[in-house]
Amino acid sequence: MDSIFDRALSEIGQDGRFQKMFDIIYNVVLSILWTMAYMNLMLALIIVPYTCHIPGKPNDVSELSWRQLNIPVYTNAAGEVKFHNCLMYTNYSLHNNTKVCDTYDYDKTWYERTVPTENNWVCDKELYVANILASSKIGELVGSIAFGWYGDTYGRRPTYIISLLLIIFGRAVSLLAGTSFILFVFGTVVAALPSWSVLQSVTAISMEISSPTNRTLTASLRFAGWSVGLAATALLFWCLRDWKIFFIATTATQVPFLLFSWKMIESPRWLWVQGKTKECVKYLKYIAKKNNKNLSKETEEEILTYTPVKNTHGLGYLALFSGWTLAKNTILQLIAWICYSTSYTVILMSSGEKTDGNPFLESVWQSLAELPGYFIAAWLADRIGRRYTGAISFGITAAMWTVLALRENSSNVVFRNSLVGSTLAVINRMSATISYSIITIFNMELYPTCIRQSGMSLGNLFISAGSALAPYMLYLGRRYSQLSNLILIGISLFGIICIVLLPETLNEKLPETIEDAQAFGKKKLKYLPVSSQS
């Protein structure tokens, strides 16, 4: 039997004008702009090709001859003789002692100024860039834990507002840091804290005021916004070429959302679960007015007089493991997150290493390749079920890693063609995108409102953990040939097992309480998609 809240939602309209406008403004526009504001750091920290600057070249000496006199050479792994980028001779006539370069010349073909070029964070100082990225991940981990708990305890709306403040403040600190590495890192960590919470907050609200049939569409809109945002970020940096102007332009997009944050609603479902019935009724009536509907007096009175059981207040992440069934579903999702994020990050890093053309256009093509994956995931998830769709996507990923492993050992000219490699990479990225969509839908549907954001945030923490494994996969692959591919195949197959063991959620009613979540899928495991029922 439906809850009082479900009946109220049916009366005010689950798919009305308000929900549609909310999705457009927050799950599409904000998703695109937030992605640009958050991912601008990755492009700003690009280390462009550089060489030692050698002053005092005589007019009658060629550039090449002058470099041969002043710069030592080395032989790389491919047997090619290269000029050293970080060392120069102290006395070019003797060639006996070297020193670290005083200044550097940077290739400005694609980038006019990045953070490393402005601060000369190259050679032995390249570690600065790695430390900044590592600090960003630490910020993500802390923020995922803190904001997941905060969103479930104090609401989606304050989480959304605080998150907007943090990214604007953090990016401003990094902009004003000057040559201070410490200040730049501080700004980076502050901006990284709400890495997931803004989009998660608005997506949670959207799913909690919409019909179950629109859950996958809501998630797909947010995912598509992320991919479009990645592509737009690359194109904007290509136009601006300067990291400071780029930072300002992308971060400024968050200011209007912060200024108009007073118009953001709190999730009525969250308010109802928390027992804040007066506020719940206020927002339900607001949505009803926008949808040209009415909340009946009878339903209003029932909401105002009903007190939901709040036996999980303040329990936070521990609630995700309360009871065997809920704990099992949580653990399977977390493992699936690691399986997905490891493969996805390796795909991204592998593509970046092989980019020889325009780096911005390469980023655009790769980002846009994700879009079909999101909508394919939504279409399949609503027809054959979440479990089958997830199992198929992980299966395709395993197949792609297998084919790529065979390709590396093949001498067939056609098989080794770069176009074939690009096609395999696109399919692999698309299948990984489908996996991400399905796990996210599970994450939204298997948890009740009171701990949903905690579940999402814990998943983000494990995404970061899986991403951290990706560089080691590449490291192993360079030294032990097929080892990384074999591990990635195994990870993908393990992902299939985790998805198959989760209960099907297609057309199922969202759990309202911890007790509902503890019982979901406990009595029987549904292997066939559930038919829609009135």
Side-chain angles (χ1 to χ4, degrees):
M1 182 177 178
D2 287 346
S3 67
I4 301 169
F5 184 87
D6 289 321
R7 189 165 77 245
L9 201 58
S10 178
E11 290 178 3
I12 67 173
Q14 302 179 81
D15 306 306
R17 178 176 178 273
F18 180 85
Q19 284 88 346
K20 291 180 173 63
M21 289 302 299
F22 189 94
D23 278 343
I24 291 171
I25 294 172
Y26 295 104
N27 285 315
V28 177
V29 177
L30 175 61
S31 183
I32 292 171
L33 298 179
W34 172 266
T35 302
M36 296 176 69
Y38 185 68
M39 296 303 291
N40 56 18
L41 181 71
M42 301 300 293
L43 288 177
L45 288 175
I46 288 289
I47 298 176
V48 303
Y50 60 90
T51 58
C52 277
H53 175 70
I54 315 168
K57 184 181 81 67
N59 294 331
D60 58 346
V61 177
S62 68
E63 186 67 36
L64 177 60
S65 298
W66 189 240
R67 292 190 66 77
Q68 289 173 334
L69 287 172
N70 287 276
I71 305 296
V73 296
Y74 69 98
T75 303
N76 64 15
E80 302 170 319
V81 178
K82 298 283 186 180
F83 286 110
H84 209 293
N85 289 333
C86 301
L87 300 175
M88 62 185 300
Y89 291 117
T90 54
N91 187 330
Y92 69 82
S93 62
L94 297 178
H95 282 198
N96 55 354
N97 292 317
T98 60
K99 65 174 183 177
V100 176
C101 302
D102 298 317
T103 56
Y104 302 88
D105 293 321
Y106 296 97
D107 185 349
K108 295 188 176 182
T109 303
W110 303 112
Y111 305 89
E112 185 64 32
R113 181 173 60 161
T114 66
V115 178
T117 63
E118 182 177 43
N119 296 286
N120 285 325
W121 289 345
V122 294
C123 294
D124 56 328
K125 291 186 177 180
E126 282 188 22
L127 188 59
Y128 283 16
V129 175
N131 288 338
I132 291 171
L133 292 173
S135 300
S136 177
K137 288 297 181 185
I138 292 173
E140 286 183 13
L141 293 174
V142 174
S144 294
I145 296 171
F147 281 110
W149 167 82
Y150 190 88
D152 282 336
T153 305
Y154 296 103
R156 284 61 163 124
R157 185 173 183 268
T159 303
Y160 166 81
I161 296 172
I162 294 171
S163 297
L164 288 173
L165 280 169
L166 286 176
I167 193 167
I168 293 171
F169 175 72
R171 289 291 184 254
V173 170
S174 294
L175 270 168
L176 299 174
T179 58
S180 173
F181 171 74
I182 299 299
L183 274 180
F184 194 96
V185 169
F186 174 74
T188 297
V189 172
V190 170
L193 290 172
S195 57
W196 302 93
S197 55
V198 165
L199 297 185
Q200 282 187 344
S201 296
V202 297
T203 302
I205 292 173
S206 181
M207 287 191 166
E208 289 166 358
I209 61 173
S210 302
S211 66
T213 56
N214 278 348
R215 295 175 203 160
T216 51
L217 176 61
T218 297
S220 296
L221 288 174
R222 171 188 155 187
F223 303 151
W226 172 268
S227 297
V228 172
L230 288 175
T233 303
L235 290 175
L236 184 61
F237 201 7
W238 188 14
C239 295
L240 299 177
R241 296 172 58 87
D242 184 290
W243 81 269
K244 287 191 173 180
I245 301 174
F246 175 63
F247 250 43
I248 293 171
T250 49
T251 305
T253 61
Q254 304 306 297
V255 175
F257 288 97
L258 179 61
L259 293 177
F260 288 92
S261 59
W262 60 274
K263 293 182 69 68
M264 168 60 72
I265 69 167
E266 182 55 88
S267 167
R269 187 183 291 270
W270 178 85
L271 291 169
W272 180 72
V273 169
Q274 296 295 318
K276 300 180 180 183
T277 55
K278 289 184 179 180
E279 290 181 74
C280 174
V281 168
K282 181 185 76 171
Y283 283 115
L284 287 174
K285 287 184 173 180
Y286 177 76
I287 296 171
K289 182 179 178 181
K290 296 294 182 181
N291 288 342
N292 293 318
K293 300 280 188 177
N294 290 298
L295 181 67
S296 70
K297 289 292 184 182
E298 294 79 6
T299 302
E300 179 180 344
E301 286 299 320
E302 284 193 62
I303 291 176
L304 290 173
T305 56
Y306 179 73
T307 303
V309 177
K310 297 194 295 179
N311 57 354
T312 61
H313 184 74
L315 195 54
Y317 295 103
L318 292 178
L320 301 172
F321 302 92
S322 58
W324 161 248
T325 300
L326 181 54
K328 179 203 70 175
N329 291 339
T330 296
I331 292 170
L332 289 173
Q333 288 178 82
L334 296 178
I335 296 173
W337 276 130
I338 292 178
C339 295
Y340 149 76
S341 58
T342 304
S343 280
Y344 181 75
T345 308
V346 169
I347 295 168
L348 289 180
M349 295 180 69
S350 299
S351 299
E353 289 184 352
K354 298 175 182 178
T355 298
D356 296 321
N358 184 326
F360 303 109
L361 289 181
E362 288 289 340
S363 179
V364 170
W365 309 143
Q366 293 172 15
S367 299
L368 294 181
E370 296 181 358
L371 290 176
Y374 294 131
F375 292 100
I376 291 171
W379 185 81
L380 287 175
D382 283 340
R383 281 158 181 79
I384 66 173
R386 282 72 159 126
R387 294 169 61 252
Y388 284 144
T389 304
I392 290 171
S393 64
F394 270 114
I396 293 174
T397 300
M400 289 301 101
W401 287 125
T402 302
V403 174
L404 286 168
L406 294 173
R407 181 173 177 269
E408 289 182 9
N409 289 331
S410 174
S411 59
N412 185 286
V413 176
V414 176
F415 199 29
R416 295 285 299 179
N417 186 278
S418 60
L419 184 60
V420 174
S422 298
T423 302
L424 293 173
V426 167
I427 296 173
N428 211 359
R429 184 157 178 176
M430 189 180 299
S431 64
T433 299
I434 295 173
S435 299
Y436 174 80
S437 302
I438 295 302
I439 306 172
T440 301
I441 293 171
F442 271 126
N443 213 214
M444 291 286 190
E445 295 180 337
L446 287 175
Y447 295 128
T449 303
C450 56
I451 58 169
R452 183 167 296 128
Q453 197 151 347
S454 292
M456 293 161 64
S457 296
L458 188 61
N460 293 333
L461 190 150
F462 275 72
I463 287 176
S464 298
S467 298
L469 295 175
Y472 299 100
M473 294 295 103
L474 293 173
Y475 176 85
L476 288 173
R478 295 188 191 102
R479 287 157 179 77
Y480 302 102
S481 185
Q482 300 300 316
L483 182 57
S484 65
N485 281 331
L486 291 175
I487 294 175
L488 289 165
I489 292 169
I491 287 174
S492 301
L493 293 175
F494 203 58
I496 296 176
I497 297 173
C498 292
I499 292 294
V500 168
L501 291 177
L502 287 169
E504 181 57 71
T505 60
L506 175 60
N507 293 326
E508 292 288 343
K509 179 179 172 290
L510 284 172
E512 295 287 356
T513 65
I514 292 292
E515 289 74 18
D516 292 341
Q518 290 170 340
F520 194 89
K522 183 177 182 179
K523 295 181 179 180
K524 58 180 179 179
L525 194 61
K526 297 180 179 179
Y527 286 95
L528 296 175
V530 183
S531 301
S532 298
Q533 296 178 358
S534 57

